[in-house]
């Protein structure tokens, strides 16, 4: 039990703190952009929808990197873990380049998918083109951070992340409002701040990465030719994650498009909830990261009973933590909404959406820990792909269209009905978890 708590603490706490700090600063950023009016809030929020697709694809690449690195570290095969690191880095950078090109060349076309409001599209295009340059450093940061967490150096991504969000916030204040002699740039300033902060994050993480290698007297073994996992097997692992994450994020974009066509007030209110939702999920995301590393290493060592036992411990921690944070959010939702310089109707809608989110948060967190960490740690990624497709496209999206277009409900009941897919997803995932077919050692 002591070893379990120590390992979870070394990974989960830094990851959770990093996610919470990033979300906290995102709230500050949102408050700054919120001073520019609801059109700018909506524009940045819609750009975030495309960035969500990029983030989940990078998350998939990071997940497979974590599976490979943690399992082969557990099996005492350092050379193969480095090969997994190299393949993941090359793949991530290639994908990032494609997303960057799309953001630079087709920003207006992409934003028009989400809204028919030409003013929102016009305001969003300059921001979109600037933040597109942040995709490449974000990709490399994802894989480097994964290696650091798998080797129990999670404090380095935490420190670099703190520096990045402080830089982002300071630059936002300076560039959005034209402080300290700079011209007022509005949402363009927010885009510049995001890109520079991602470069700072990568630079600091690489420095920490190099220091770790030097102190532990380790050498990098960079090669894209894995010996124990063929390229075909790598694709078999990553493609289901990419497909499921892409389809999930595409589903989120479809939902956002539905919200965007309800009303500008609804879209603005939903955009205001994103940072606080990220804060709550981020506070417990460390458990998902810890699950991927801890359970992955145990499977690499073929300690199957220990892996199953610790998986249940992690799930209970996540459920209790989410219930407590959800209760706090319900109590504070009105206070949070009051900070924004928007109409009272938008504040009211924001409060109601946060309340619904809080009620569903224990289920969301359990899905995150199980699907994002535990079950994927064995490399059986097809299971999660099937569950995600069923949850998002056979349950969530149909419910969303039914509520919005057939029943013609407003955004709060639409969001509540849509979120029921999380319950369906959890039931299926728990059945698969108890069958233990996900337990597999790559070594």
């Amino acid at each position: 039990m002591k070893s379990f708590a120590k390992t979870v603490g070394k990974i989960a706490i830094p990851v959770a703190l990093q996610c919470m700090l990033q979300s906290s600063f995102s709230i500050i950023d949102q408050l700054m952009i919120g001073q520019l009016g609801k059109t700018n809030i909506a524009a940045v929020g819609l750009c975030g929808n495309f960035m969500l697709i990029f983030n989940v694809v990078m998350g998939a690449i990071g997940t497979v990197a974590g599976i490979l690195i943690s399992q082969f570290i557990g099996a005492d095969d350092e050379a193969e873990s480095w090969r997994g690191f190299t393949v993941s880095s090359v793949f991530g950078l290639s994908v990032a380049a494609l997303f960057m090109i799309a953001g630079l060349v087709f920003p207006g076309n992409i934003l028009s998918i989400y809204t028919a409001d030409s003013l929102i599209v016009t305001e969003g295009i300059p921001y979109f083109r600037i933040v597109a340059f942040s995709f490449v450093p974000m990709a490399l940061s994802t894989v480097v951070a994964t290696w650091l967490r798998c080797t129990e150096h999670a404090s380095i991504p935490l420190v670099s992340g703190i520096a990045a969000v402080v830089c982002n916030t300071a630059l936002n204040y300076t560039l959005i409002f034209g402080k300290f002699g700079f011209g007022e740039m509005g949402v363009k300033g927010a885009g510049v701040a995001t890109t520079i902060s991602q470069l700072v994050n990568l630079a600091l993480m690489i420095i920490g990465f190099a220091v770790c290698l030097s102190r532990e007297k380790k050498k990098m073994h960079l090669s894209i030719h894995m010996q124990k996992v063929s390229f075909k097997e790598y694709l078999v692992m990553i493609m289901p994650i990419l497909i499921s994450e892409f389809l999930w994020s595409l589903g989120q974009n479809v939902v956002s498009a539905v919200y965007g066509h309800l009303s500008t007030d609804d879209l603005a209110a939903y955009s205001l909830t994103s940072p606080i939702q990220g804060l709550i999920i981020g506070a417990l995301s460390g458990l998902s990261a810890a699950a991927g590393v801890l359970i992955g290493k145990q499977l690499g060592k073929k300690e199957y009973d220990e892996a199953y036992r610790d998986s249940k411990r992690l799930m209970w921690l996540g459920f209790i933590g989410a219930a407590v944070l959800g209760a706090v959010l319900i109590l504070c939702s009105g206070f949070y909404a009051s900070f924004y310089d928007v109409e009272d109707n938008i504040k009211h809608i924001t409060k109601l959406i946060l309340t619904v989110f809080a009620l569903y948060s224990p289920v969301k967190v359990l899905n995150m820990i199980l699907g994002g960490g535990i079950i994927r740690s064995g490399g059986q990624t097809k299971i999660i792909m099937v569950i995600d497709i069923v949850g998002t496209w056979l349950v969530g999206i149909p419910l969303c269209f039914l509520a919005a277009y057939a029943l013609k409900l407003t955004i709060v009941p639409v969001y509540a009905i849509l979120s029921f897919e999380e319950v369906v997803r959890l039931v299926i995932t728990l059945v698969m978890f108890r069958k233990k077919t996900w337990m597999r050692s790559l070594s």
Side-chain angles (χ1 to χ4, degrees), residues 6 20 22 53 75 90 94 109-112 122 208 226 229 236 246 276-277 304 329 349-350 363 367 392 404 411 434:
K6 182 179 179 181
M20 289 177 66
Q22 287 175 332
I53 297 177
V90 172
S94 301
N109 304 82
I110 295 170
L111 291 175
S112 296
T122 300
M226 291 182 289
V229 177
V236 167
F246 177 77
I276 200 69
Q277 289 191 36
Y304 300 117
L329 178 58
I349 297 171
T350 299
V363 178
N367 281 328
T392 300
I411 192 168
R434 290 177 63 86

Side-chain angles (χ1 to χ4, degrees), residues 350-363:
T350 299
K351 179 181 177 180
L352 293 177
I353 293 175
L354 288 176
T355 300
V356 175
F357 167 77
L359 294 174
Y360 276 106
S361 60
V363 178

Side-chain angles (χ1 to χ4, degrees), residues 187-325:
V187 292
K188 291 182 182 178
V192 172
T194 296
T195 301
I196 293 176
S197 65
Q198 288 299 329
L199 291 170
V200 169
N201 181 53
L202 176 60
L204 293 177
M205 204 176 298
I206 288 178
I207 291 171
F209 179 75
V211 170
C212 286
L213 293 179
S214 176
R215 286 181 177 177
E216 298 175 4
K217 297 181 180 180
K218 292 183 178 179
K219 292 184 178 180
M220 298 177 67
H221 303 281
L222 300 181
S223 173
I224 60 172
H225 302 291
M226 291 182 289
Q227 295 181 355
K228 295 187 177 178
V229 177
S230 67
F231 185 68
K232 179 181 178 181
E233 289 171 324
Y234 177 83
L235 290 178
V236 167
M237 275 194 290
I238 199 168
M239 289 309 297
I241 299 179
L242 285 172
I243 291 170
S244 63
E245 295 290 358
F246 177 77
L247 289 176
W248 176 83
S249 60
L250 182 61
Q252 293 299 108
N253 279 258
V254 170
V255 170
S256 295
V258 172
Y259 293 162
H261 286 82
L262 292 177
S263 75
T264 300
D265 284 2
D266 284 342
L267 180 59
Y270 183 70
S271 297
L272 293 181
T273 67
S274 296
I276 200 69
Q277 289 191 36
L279 182 64
I280 298 298
I281 296 298
L284 297 164
S285 62
L287 292 175
S288 178
V293 176
L294 176 62
I295 307 305
K297 287 182 177 180
Q298 288 174 334
L299 294 179
K301 296 177 182 177
K302 301 182 181 179
E303 296 175 348
Y304 300 117
D305 291 338
E306 292 83 350
Y308 190 74
R309 178 200 63 204
D310 288 345
S311 295
K312 291 192 289 185
R313 289 175 176 173
L314 289 162
M315 289 160 58
W316 275 111
L317 285 173
F319 180 83
I320 295 170
V324 172
L325 292 176

Side-chain angles (χ1 to χ4, degrees), residues 401-418:
F401 277 91
L402 173 67
Y405 296 120
L407 302 179
K408 299 186 183 303
L409 300 176
T410 57
I411 192 168
V412 176
V414 170
Y415 178 71
I417 292 171
L418 165 68

